[in-house]
PDB file of all heavy atoms in Angstrom:
ATOM      1  N   PHE A   3     119.239 -51.573-100.750  1.00  0.00           N
ATOM      2  CA  PHE A   3     120.239 -51.266 -99.728  1.00  0.00           C
ATOM      3  C   PHE A   3     121.054 -52.509 -99.394  1.00  0.00           C
ATOM      4  O   PHE A   3     122.288 -52.454 -99.326  1.00  0.00           O
ATOM      5  CB  PHE A   3     119.551 -50.707 -98.475  1.00  0.00           C
ATOM      6  CG  PHE A   3     120.504 -50.370 -97.367  1.00  0.00           C
ATOM      7  CD1 PHE A   3     121.383 -49.304 -97.492  1.00  0.00           C
ATOM      8  CD2 PHE A   3     120.526 -51.110 -96.200  1.00  0.00           C
ATOM      9  CE1 PHE A   3     122.267 -48.985 -96.476  1.00  0.00           C
ATOM     10  CE2 PHE A   3     121.408 -50.807 -95.184  1.00  0.00           C
ATOM     11  CZ  PHE A   3     122.280 -49.743 -95.312  1.00  0.00           C
ATOM     12  N   ALA A  26     135.004 -63.002-104.119  1.00  0.00           N
ATOM     13  CA  ALA A  26     134.474 -61.698-103.703  1.00  0.00           C
ATOM     14  C   ALA A  26     133.911 -60.952-104.906  1.00  0.00           C
ATOM     15  O   ALA A  26     132.838 -60.341-104.831  1.00  0.00           O
ATOM     16  CB  ALA A  26     135.572 -60.873-103.028  1.00  0.00           C
ATOM     17  N   LEU A  28     132.752 -62.281-107.719  1.00  0.00           N
ATOM     18  CA  LEU A  28     131.539 -62.952-108.189  1.00  0.00           C
ATOM     19  C   LEU A  28     130.332 -62.617-107.312  1.00  0.00           C
ATOM     20  O   LEU A  28     129.235 -62.371-107.834  1.00  0.00           O
ATOM     21  CB  LEU A  28     131.763 -64.463-108.260  1.00  0.00           C
ATOM     22  CG  LEU A  28     132.796 -64.919-109.300  1.00  0.00           C
ATOM     23  CD1 LEU A  28     133.033 -66.420-109.198  1.00  0.00           C
ATOM     24  CD2 LEU A  28     132.374 -64.515-110.703  1.00  0.00           C
ATOM     25  N   TRP A  42     115.112 -52.863-113.063  1.00  0.00           N
ATOM     26  CA  TRP A  42     114.726 -52.918-114.467  1.00  0.00           C
ATOM     27  C   TRP A  42     113.435 -53.713-114.686  1.00  0.00           C
ATOM     28  O   TRP A  42     112.624 -53.363-115.536  1.00  0.00           O
ATOM     29  CB  TRP A  42     115.864 -53.530-115.276  1.00  0.00           C
ATOM     30  CG  TRP A  42     115.800 -53.233-116.736  1.00  0.00           C
ATOM     31  CD1 TRP A  42     115.348 -54.062-117.710  1.00  0.00           C
ATOM     32  CD2 TRP A  42     116.205 -52.036-117.406  1.00  0.00           C
ATOM     33  NE1 TRP A  42     115.449 -53.459-118.939  1.00  0.00           N
ATOM     34  CE2 TRP A  42     115.976 -52.210-118.779  1.00  0.00           C
ATOM     35  CE3 TRP A  42     116.748 -50.829-116.965  1.00  0.00           C
ATOM     36  CZ2 TRP A  42     116.267 -51.233-119.718  1.00  0.00           C
ATOM     37  CZ3 TRP A  42     117.039 -49.866-117.910  1.00  0.00           C
ATOM     38  CH2 TRP A  42     116.798 -50.066-119.263  1.00  0.00           C
ATOM     39  N   LYS A  47     110.668 -50.891-111.496  1.00  0.00           N
ATOM     40  CA  LYS A  47     109.996 -50.639-112.775  1.00  0.00           C
ATOM     41  C   LYS A  47     108.491 -50.503-112.571  1.00  0.00           C
ATOM     42  O   LYS A  47     107.841 -49.666-113.212  1.00  0.00           O
ATOM     43  CB  LYS A  47     110.311 -51.767-113.762  1.00  0.00           C
ATOM     44  CG  LYS A  47     109.870 -51.471-115.159  1.00  0.00           C
ATOM     45  CD  LYS A  47     110.605 -50.265-115.730  1.00  0.00           C
ATOM     46  CE  LYS A  47     110.362 -50.101-117.199  1.00  0.00           C
ATOM     47  NZ  LYS A  47     111.116 -49.012-117.776  1.00  0.00           N
ATOM     48  N   THR A  53     104.539 -42.786-112.653  1.00  0.00           N
ATOM     49  CA  THR A  53     105.062 -41.425-112.512  1.00  0.00           C
ATOM     50  C   THR A  53     104.950 -40.654-113.829  1.00  0.00           C
ATOM     51  O   THR A  53     104.540 -41.188-114.846  1.00  0.00           O
ATOM     52  CB  THR A  53     106.534 -41.455-112.052  1.00  0.00           C
ATOM     53  OG1 THR A  53     107.310 -42.108-113.066  1.00  0.00           O
ATOM     54  CG2 THR A  53     106.698 -42.198-110.732  1.00  0.00           C
ATOM     55  N   GLN A  58     109.966 -40.884-115.651  1.00  0.00           N
ATOM     56  CA  GLN A  58     110.215 -42.156-116.334  1.00  0.00           C
ATOM     57  C   GLN A  58     111.448 -42.067-117.233  1.00  0.00           C
ATOM     58  O   GLN A  58     112.260 -42.999-117.273  1.00  0.00           O
ATOM     59  CB  GLN A  58     108.994 -42.565-117.154  1.00  0.00           C
ATOM     60  CG  GLN A  58     107.836 -43.008-116.296  1.00  0.00           C
ATOM     61  CD  GLN A  58     106.620 -43.400-117.107  1.00  0.00           C
ATOM     62  OE1 GLN A  58     106.744 -43.871-118.229  1.00  0.00           O
ATOM     63  NE2 GLN A  58     105.442 -43.213-116.533  1.00  0.00           N
ATOM     64  N   ASN A  62     114.836 -44.307-116.665  1.00  0.00           N
ATOM     65  CA  ASN A  62     115.433 -45.152-117.704  1.00  0.00           C
ATOM     66  C   ASN A  62     116.872 -44.748-117.998  1.00  0.00           C
ATOM     67  O   ASN A  62     117.728 -45.612-118.209  1.00  0.00           O
ATOM     68  CB  ASN A  62     114.579 -45.110-118.971  1.00  0.00           C
ATOM     69  CG  ASN A  62     113.269 -45.841-118.787  1.00  0.00           C
ATOM     70  OD1 ASN A  62     113.167 -46.777-118.014  1.00  0.00           O
ATOM     71  ND2 ASN A  62     112.245 -45.389-119.489  1.00  0.00           N
ATOM     72  N   VAL A  70     125.854 -49.442-117.584  1.00  0.00           N
ATOM     73  CA  VAL A  70     127.065 -49.137-118.352  1.00  0.00           C
ATOM     74  C   VAL A  70     128.102 -48.402-117.498  1.00  0.00           C
ATOM     75  O   VAL A  70     129.268 -48.799-117.441  1.00  0.00           O
ATOM     76  CB  VAL A  70     126.712 -48.316-119.618  1.00  0.00           C
ATOM     77  CG1 VAL A  70     127.956 -47.938-120.381  1.00  0.00           C
ATOM     78  CG2 VAL A  70     125.753 -49.100-120.501  1.00  0.00           C
ATOM     79  N   GLY A  71     127.680 -47.343-116.836  1.00  0.00           N
ATOM     80  CA  GLY A  71     128.624 -46.547-116.045  1.00  0.00           C
ATOM     81  C   GLY A  71     129.215 -47.313-114.874  1.00  0.00           C
ATOM     82  O   GLY A  71     130.412 -47.221-114.596  1.00  0.00           O
ATOM     83  N   TRP A  72     128.369 -48.085-114.201  1.00  0.00           N
ATOM     84  CA  TRP A  72     128.870 -48.858-113.065  1.00  0.00           C
ATOM     85  C   TRP A  72     129.778 -49.999-113.499  1.00  0.00           C
ATOM     86  O   TRP A  72     130.490 -50.565-112.678  1.00  0.00           O
ATOM     87  CB  TRP A  72     127.724 -49.389-112.224  1.00  0.00           C
ATOM     88  CG  TRP A  72     127.072 -48.365-111.351  1.00  0.00           C
ATOM     89  CD1 TRP A  72     127.165 -47.000-111.436  1.00  0.00           C
ATOM     90  CD2 TRP A  72     126.205 -48.630-110.252  1.00  0.00           C
ATOM     91  NE1 TRP A  72     126.405 -46.414-110.474  1.00  0.00           N
ATOM     92  CE2 TRP A  72     125.798 -47.391-109.724  1.00  0.00           C
ATOM     93  CE3 TRP A  72     125.724 -49.789-109.681  1.00  0.00           C
ATOM     94  CZ2 TRP A  72     124.944 -47.281-108.641  1.00  0.00           C
ATOM     95  CZ3 TRP A  72     124.855 -49.680-108.596  1.00  0.00           C
ATOM     96  CH2 TRP A  72     124.480 -48.434-108.079  1.00  0.00           C
ATOM     97  N   ILE A  74     132.403 -49.731-115.023  1.00  0.00           N
ATOM     98  CA  ILE A  74     133.787 -49.273-114.874  1.00  0.00           C
ATOM     99  C   ILE A  74     134.398 -49.851-113.599  1.00  0.00           C
ATOM    100  O   ILE A  74     135.559 -50.245-113.589  1.00  0.00           O
ATOM    101  CB  ILE A  74     133.867 -47.735-114.869  1.00  0.00           C
ATOM    102  CG1 ILE A  74     133.336 -47.179-116.189  1.00  0.00           C
ATOM    103  CG2 ILE A  74     135.297 -47.256-114.621  1.00  0.00           C
ATOM    104  CD1 ILE A  74     133.123 -45.668-116.177  1.00  0.00           C
ATOM    105  N   SER A  91     148.142 -46.606-108.409  1.00  0.00           N
ATOM    106  CA  SER A  91     147.819 -45.255-108.880  1.00  0.00           C
ATOM    107  C   SER A  91     146.845 -45.300-110.052  1.00  0.00           C
ATOM    108  O   SER A  91     145.885 -44.520-110.111  1.00  0.00           O
ATOM    109  CB  SER A  91     149.081 -44.507-109.296  1.00  0.00           C
ATOM    110  OG  SER A  91     149.907 -44.294-108.195  1.00  0.00           O
ATOM    111  N   TYR A  97     138.946 -45.880-110.541  1.00  0.00           N
ATOM    112  CA  TYR A  97     137.825 -45.773-109.601  1.00  0.00           C
ATOM    113  C   TYR A  97     137.350 -44.332-109.459  1.00  0.00           C
ATOM    114  O   TYR A  97     136.151 -44.067-109.360  1.00  0.00           O
ATOM    115  CB  TYR A  97     138.204 -46.346-108.244  1.00  0.00           C
ATOM    116  CG  TYR A  97     138.217 -47.866-108.201  1.00  0.00           C
ATOM    117  CD1 TYR A  97     139.018 -48.543-107.297  1.00  0.00           C
ATOM    118  CD2 TYR A  97     137.429 -48.627-109.047  1.00  0.00           C
ATOM    119  CE1 TYR A  97     139.024 -49.927-107.240  1.00  0.00           C
ATOM    120  CE2 TYR A  97     137.436 -50.009-109.001  1.00  0.00           C
ATOM    121  CZ  TYR A  97     138.227 -50.654-108.087  1.00  0.00           C
ATOM    122  OH  TYR A  97     138.220 -52.023-108.033  1.00  0.00           O
ATOM    123  N   LEU A 110     123.095 -34.792-113.159  1.00  0.00           N
ATOM    124  CA  LEU A 110     122.531 -34.102-114.320  1.00  0.00           C
ATOM    125  C   LEU A 110     121.164 -34.668-114.714  1.00  0.00           C
ATOM    126  O   LEU A 110     120.260 -33.911-115.087  1.00  0.00           O
ATOM    127  CB  LEU A 110     123.491 -34.181-115.507  1.00  0.00           C
ATOM    128  CG  LEU A 110     124.750 -33.326-115.393  1.00  0.00           C
ATOM    129  CD1 LEU A 110     125.692 -33.621-116.562  1.00  0.00           C
ATOM    130  CD2 LEU A 110     124.393 -31.849-115.343  1.00  0.00           C
ATOM    131  N   VAL A 111     121.012 -35.963-114.632  1.00  0.00           N
ATOM    132  CA  VAL A 111     119.724 -36.577-114.964  1.00  0.00           C
ATOM    133  C   VAL A 111     118.655 -36.118-113.972  1.00  0.00           C
ATOM    134  O   VAL A 111     117.526 -35.774-114.366  1.00  0.00           O
ATOM    135  CB  VAL A 111     119.838 -38.118-114.986  1.00  0.00           C
ATOM    136  CG1 VAL A 111     118.470 -38.781-115.060  1.00  0.00           C
ATOM    137  CG2 VAL A 111     120.707 -38.560-116.149  1.00  0.00           C
ATOM    138  N   THR A 122     106.603 -28.289-116.458  1.00  0.00           N
ATOM    139  CA  THR A 122     105.251 -28.859-116.576  1.00  0.00           C
ATOM    140  C   THR A 122     104.308 -28.217-115.563  1.00  0.00           C
ATOM    141  O   THR A 122     103.160 -27.895-115.892  1.00  0.00           O
ATOM    142  CB  THR A 122     105.298 -30.380-116.380  1.00  0.00           C
ATOM    143  OG1 THR A 122     106.173 -30.957-117.353  1.00  0.00           O
ATOM    144  CG2 THR A 122     103.921 -31.002-116.514  1.00  0.00           C
ATOM    145  N   TYR A 124     104.473 -25.225-114.235  1.00  0.00           N
ATOM    146  CA  TYR A 124     104.176 -23.830-114.575  1.00  0.00           C
ATOM    147  C   TYR A 124     103.347 -23.703-115.843  1.00  0.00           C
ATOM    148  O   TYR A 124     102.651 -22.724-116.021  1.00  0.00           O
ATOM    149  CB  TYR A 124     105.464 -23.027-114.720  1.00  0.00           C
ATOM    150  CG  TYR A 124     106.116 -22.721-113.407  1.00  0.00           C
ATOM    151  CD1 TYR A 124     107.452 -23.008-113.188  1.00  0.00           C
ATOM    152  CD2 TYR A 124     105.395 -22.154-112.361  1.00  0.00           C
ATOM    153  CE1 TYR A 124     108.048 -22.732-111.976  1.00  0.00           C
ATOM    154  CE2 TYR A 124     105.977 -21.878-111.144  1.00  0.00           C
ATOM    155  CZ  TYR A 124     107.312 -22.168-110.957  1.00  0.00           C
ATOM    156  OH  TYR A 124     107.903 -21.897-109.759  1.00  0.00           O
ATOM    157  N   SER A 125     103.450 -24.666-116.751  1.00  0.00           N
ATOM    158  CA  SER A 125     102.718 -24.545-118.005  1.00  0.00           C
ATOM    159  C   SER A 125     101.328 -25.179-117.947  1.00  0.00           C
ATOM    160  O   SER A 125     100.530 -24.986-118.844  1.00  0.00           O
ATOM    161  CB  SER A 125     103.525 -25.161-119.152  1.00  0.00           C
ATOM    162  OG  SER A 125     103.643 -26.559-118.968  1.00  0.00           O
TER     163      SER A 125
END
Side-chain angles (χ1 to χ4, degrees):
F3 180 69
L28 294 175
W42 199 259
K47 190 63 170 184
T53 63
Q58 289 179 30
N62 289 331
V70 177
W72 284 16
I74 299 169
S91 295
Y97 284 154
L110 288 173
V111 169
T122 302
Y124 286 128
S125 66

